[in-house]
Amino acid sequence: MTPRIAAAPRPVRPRRAGVLLCALLVAGAGDAATGAPTAPERPLPGIPVFEYAHPARTMPPVLPGEATVFSIDNGRVHRTLTLRQLKSLPAVRYRTTHMQLRQDYTYEGVALRDLALLGGFAGQDVRLAAANGFAATIAASDYMNYPIMLAYSADGRPIPTLKKGPLTVVLPAQPERFHRGTYSAAWVWFAERITPAP
């Protein structure tokens, strides 16, 4: 499934983050019980509409002994999520070639835009950290305008460690610049945390 992307999106500037966050919250208020974001029901001015594989679902509680796999930290609030909780958030799905593996997969996961919204820092550049100590910054103008995702499945199956899983940042096939050397660092393997960029 090809993501629906505006031909020439207007870049989102970090200084507009407060206005943008309010607009996103109004258009996609989220689940009242969990605060999970939902897909906006109508396009927002200057913000492309993403095609979602499924909307937000009721976020399940953490089961006894269930491992957390990802965290969202805005400097004041630290939120952890299990894999089941990640899968309850709105999901995007598309086919793309993994830049390092040089293999095509249909990935499914959570758009970074929705994770940033959940963390209260949508519209700011974000920092993705990996379990191996690696970290990369992704510009707001990229993740706000394109469905860059934190993928948890490839071709309908969990992503094994040898294929850069269990959570890996994936960029869509277009624009082509996402698959060139300057974007190599954005494909974060073994991802475990998102924060606003310093």
Side-chain angles (χ1 to χ4, degrees):
M1 184 179 294
T2 305
R4 191 171 53 188
I5 299 172
R10 189 170 62 221
V12 175
R13 295 179 184 88
R15 64 182 175 80
R16 294 181 56 215
V19 173
L20 173 65
L21 182 58
C22 290
L24 286 170
L25 287 171
V26 168
D31 183 290
T34 65
T38 58
E41 294 180 5
R42 58 184 167 72
L44 300 170
I47 305 299
V49 175
F50 293 168
E51 187 172 306
Y52 285 90
H54 70 72
R57 299 167 175 161
T58 301
M59 186 173 287
V62 179
L63 297 174
E66 188 176 17
T68 59
V69 296
F70 196 74
S71 65
I72 303 170
D73 193 337
N74 67 10
R76 297 177 311 281
V77 178
H78 179 79
R79 180 171 192 171
T80 58
L81 298 167
T82 67
L83 183 58
R84 289 185 317 117
Q85 289 175 324
L86 266 179
K87 289 181 175 181
S88 75
L89 297 174
V92 291
R93 183 189 305 136
Y94 52 79
R95 192 157 189 85
T96 191
T97 302
H98 194 285
M99 190 171 181
Q100 286 82 22
L101 296 174
R102 308 265 185 230
Q103 293 176 318
D104 288 353
Y105 294 99
T106 298
Y107 285 101
E108 183 171 315
V110 183
L112 296 190
R113 183 166 82 181
D114 290 323
L115 291 171
L117 173 61
L118 191 58
F121 45 86
Q124 299 177 50
D125 292 352
V126 295
R127 190 99 168 141
L128 274 294
N132 62 4
F134 179 80
T137 297
I138 298 179
S141 58
D142 286 333
Y143 79 80
M144 292 297 295
N145 290 296
Y146 300 97
I148 298 172
M149 76 166 89
L150 177 70
Y152 48 67
S153 74
D155 291 340
R157 293 184 292 277
I159 306 170
T161 304
L162 291 177
K163 299 293 184 183
K164 314 304 184 189
L167 299 176
T168 187
V169 176
V170 171
L171 287 74
Q174 297 296 326
E176 290 182 13
R177 62 187 165 87
F178 285 167
H179 295 265
R180 295 184 187 145
T182 53
Y183 274 87
S184 180
W187 295 72
V188 180
W189 322 330
F190 322 132
E192 65 176 12
R193 185 173 67 256
I194 187 170
T195 62

